[in-house]
Amino acid sequence: MLSQFDTTQLRPQDRYDFWQDVVCNTFVPLRCKVDNTRDFSATLETREFADVKVVSISASPQRVERGKDHRFSAADEFILVGLAQRGRACIHQDNREVNLAAGEFCLYDTRKPYQLSFSEQFQQTVIRIPYRALVDRTGLLDNLTALRFSNQHPFGRLAFDFFMGVAALPAEQSSLVQNKIAEQSLDLLGMAISPYLTEKKSASLSRATLLHRIKQHIAKHLDSPDLTLAQVSQHFDISSRYMNQLFNDEQTTFGRFVLMSRLESCAFRLRQAHYDHLTVSGIAYRFGFLDMAYFSRVFKARFGMTARELRAASRG
């Protein structure tokens, strides 16, 4: 899916407010600051490939801040990869600050406050990746935010060139191609940052790799009534206690993760017109919910509306 926004189509006095709304809707709630709102101009173009969003930006100088006063929710947990193409950028997070020139990139984490500063007209591509999807491959990234990665490094060049290529692709791709692009994005980014993962993280990386395999297994068997802690532990030849420890690393439990995965899968289908031939109960049964009263209760608790309301809102 392709979305395009251009402030030059608006009156000068309307551009800043429009841009503020566009940036927040594209990424996460944040605050843009510009010194001259009347001369401000910006364009933004987004492409979505499965759960990876590729955003191309060309804009006037500005400062961007995600502060402690902004809303921080599970729905806004992303790793952003800023790839500089023109102009200089300064990124501050986790008590680190990095200046980027063309051909360089860095990571920043939307779960925590950060500041971006662009002192001149700039062009940048930003990749928005679900936090959990990347951490499943690499382990925790707290020591890698606001660090400089360069396309002069072989792995960095692979990732940089790949993302530039994806940003130029036609937006309309099949679901199969979208999923492949998303998987390749995660693999190449993981490879680009792998030299910076310390030996200290090797144990957590091993645990993260196993947890990623377990999550893949869960995703393939969400419809199974046998998807229990004991059954999955036996499948991977580990103890239930160790399985719980793996999920505890992410401040959740096996049961909670399975429930959220089932609810997200139901919600995804409810949002897609392609599945309108299925009833709400049919979708719920498909993902292991045998008690509709229970499904209705946990669905509303997760999404703030009923399944039928979510389907209607998506069509509206």
Side-chain angles (χ1 to χ4, degrees):
M1 183 174 71
L2 176 67
S3 300
Q4 295 174 306
F5 305 92
D6 186 351
T7 64
T8 61
Q9 306 302 314
L10 304 173
R11 298 182 305 169
Q13 59 266 38
D14 297 331
R15 293 177 183 178
Y16 170 73
D17 290 336
F18 172 77
W19 180 248
Q20 172 76 35
D21 290 340
V22 166
V23 172
C24 289
N25 290 331
T26 301
F27 298 108
V28 291
L30 44 77
R31 188 178 301 108
C32 293
K33 300 178 181 179
V34 299
D35 293 329
N36 187 342
T37 58
R38 295 196 64 85
D39 292 336
F40 179 80
S41 65
T43 62
L44 182 148
E45 185 174 279
T46 71
R47 290 171 170 79
E48 295 189 46
F49 302 98
D51 54 1
V52 171
K53 180 180 285 188
V54 180
V55 186
S56 301
I57 302 171
S58 179
S60 298
Q62 59 189 277
R63 298 176 301 281
V64 178
E65 178 181 6
R66 180 158 168 79
K68 293 180 180 180
D69 59 319
H70 283 108
R71 174 176 57 84
F72 287 77
S73 71
D76 295 326
E77 295 187 350
F78 302 103
I79 291 294
L80 300 181
V81 187
L83 302 105
Q85 296 164 265
R86 182 163 59 89
R88 289 193 168 271
C90 178
I91 296 88
H92 182 93
Q93 189 172 54
D94 291 326
N95 295 317
R96 288 186 295 273
E97 186 173 280
V98 62
N99 291 289
L100 299 183
E104 298 174 337
F105 64 97
C106 78
L107 314 184
Y108 43 107
D109 184 347
T110 64
R111 300 174 310 138
K112 298 177 286 186
Y114 62 82
Q115 297 86 40
L116 313 177
S117 178
F118 304 94
S119 58
E120 55 188 320
Q121 185 81 20
F122 70 96
Q123 186 175 350
Q124 191 175 70
T125 294
V126 181
I127 314 300
R128 198 191 75 173
I129 294 174
Y131 174 83
R132 292 298 174 191
L134 183 58
V135 169
D136 284 348
R137 284 167 165 76
T138 64
L140 298 179
L141 298 167
D142 293 341
N143 294 327
L144 296 185
T145 55
L147 292 183
R148 182 185 295 104
F149 300 92
S150 173
N151 65 358
Q152 298 304 305
H153 186 283
F155 290 165
R157 183 165 58 251
L158 277 175
F160 194 98
D161 291 348
F162 175 80
F163 287 130
M164 290 299 99
V166 170
L169 282 176
E172 298 302 322
Q173 303 288 343
S174 68
S175 295
L176 178 61
V177 171
Q178 288 189 42
N179 288 328
K180 286 184 176 180
I181 290 173
E183 286 295 312
Q184 194 69 40
S185 298
L186 291 164
D187 289 341
L188 282 174
L189 183 57
M191 185 169 62
I193 66 177
S194 61
Y196 301 85
L197 295 171
T198 65
E199 294 180 7
K200 187 177 179 181
K201 293 188 178 179
S202 61
S204 74
L205 181 56
S206 176
R207 288 166 68 96
T209 300
L210 175 58
L211 185 58
H212 177 63
R213 290 173 55 212
I214 291 170
K215 288 179 176 179
Q216 287 183 315
H217 176 84
I218 290 172
K220 291 178 181 177
H221 298 88
L222 286 176
D223 61 337
S224 172
D226 297 326
L227 190 64
T228 63
L229 175 62
Q231 185 271 333
V232 177
S233 298
Q234 184 178 14
H235 177 83
F236 285 93
D237 196 25
I238 60 176
S239 69
S240 296
R241 180 182 178 185
Y242 186 60
M243 176 79 76
N244 276 325
Q245 289 175 353
L246 292 175
F247 281 96
N248 284 341
D249 287 347
E250 299 190 344
Q251 290 78 51
T252 189
T253 64
F254 173 86
R256 178 79 177 164
F257 179 81
V258 171
L259 174 60
M260 291 298 107
S261 297
R262 283 174 164 159
L263 289 173
E264 293 291 347
S265 295
C266 290
F268 174 80
R269 280 155 180 77
L270 289 167
R271 291 187 181 106
Q272 307 299 315
H274 178 71
Y275 295 99
D276 279 353
H277 65 286
L278 297 176
T279 63
V280 170
S281 59
I283 291 173
Y285 288 138
R286 176 172 293 192
F287 289 102
F289 290 101
L290 304 182
D291 182 338
M292 285 304 298
Y294 172 71
F295 168 75
S296 298
R297 186 168 66 254
V298 295
F299 191 95
K300 188 169 184 178
R302 170 65 182 87
F303 296 103
M305 63 180 75
T306 67
R308 288 182 175 82
E309 288 171 343
L310 185 142
R311 173 176 265 178
S314 299
R315 299 304 172 274

